[in-house]
Amino acid sequence: MDIDWDALRAAATNAAANAYAPYSRLNVGAAALTDTGALVTGVNVENASFGLTFCAEVSLIGKAMTDGLGRPVALVATDSEGNVLTPCGRCRQILIEMGGPDLQINEVHTAAELIPGAFLPDDLPE
Ligand code: THU
């Protein structure tokens, strides 16, 4: 699949404008191309109970699954100025399950590179 990384970065940057991040002031947007050809975005949503915050990548996955838009094959996360951000550890775990080890992240990585030895469905008892 041909990936338009500039378009994904632009979509992530545009989405970041809708982030709710009054505490960290880091507005994050994520954008992904899915295996159905859909473009999906997400933003971080913070909470006064800080630990309840969820990341842009998590809201992206929630939207993709809710709307039946398929699995991510290429994903970018940026701040509202377009600076590329690397996914946190929790997001890496979520992304490798939903996008698989070959999910391309920020143009230069795969999910498997970002979370080697991830806990995966095969690690659960049958
Ligand atoms: N954040 C994300 O949205 N994605 C990540 O992968 C890293 C961190 C958000 C969470 C929090 O709202 C803010 O960035 C600062 O940690």
Side-chain angles (χ1 to χ4, degrees), residues 19-30 42-47 50 53-59 77-78 85-92 95:
Y20 176 72
Y23 309 110
S24 73
R25 297 198 182 88
L26 178 61
N27 283 28
V28 183
V43 298
N44 57 331
V45 181
E46 297 187 345
N47 193 277
F50 299 155
T53 290
F54 55 88
C55 289
E57 296 89 333
V58 175
S59 53
T78 72
L85 301 170
T86 193
C88 76
R90 179 172 183 262
C91 288
R92 294 175 191 204
L95 290 173

Side-chain angles (χ1 to χ4, degrees), residues 8 11 21 31 34 42 52 54 58 66 73 80-81 89 92 95 100 102 119 125:
L8 282 182
T34 74
L52 301 184
F54 55 88
V58 175
T66 301
V73 296
S80 55
E81 294 181 343
R92 294 175 191 204
L95 290 173
D102 297 330
F119 185 83

Side-chain angles (χ1 to χ4, degrees), residues 65-102:
M65 297 308 290
T66 301
D67 293 340
L69 298 174
R71 304 293 188 109
V73 296
L75 177 142
V76 168
T78 72
D79 65 15
S80 55
E81 294 181 343
N83 299 301
V84 172
L85 301 170
T86 193
C88 76
R90 179 172 183 262
C91 288
R92 294 175 191 204
Q93 176 71 28
I94 290 168
L95 290 173
I96 198 168
E97 171 122 2
M98 302 316 298
D102 297 330

Side-chain angles (χ1 to χ4, degrees), residues 30-42:
L33 176 69
T34 74
D35 59 4
T36 66
L39 174 70
V40 192
T41 53

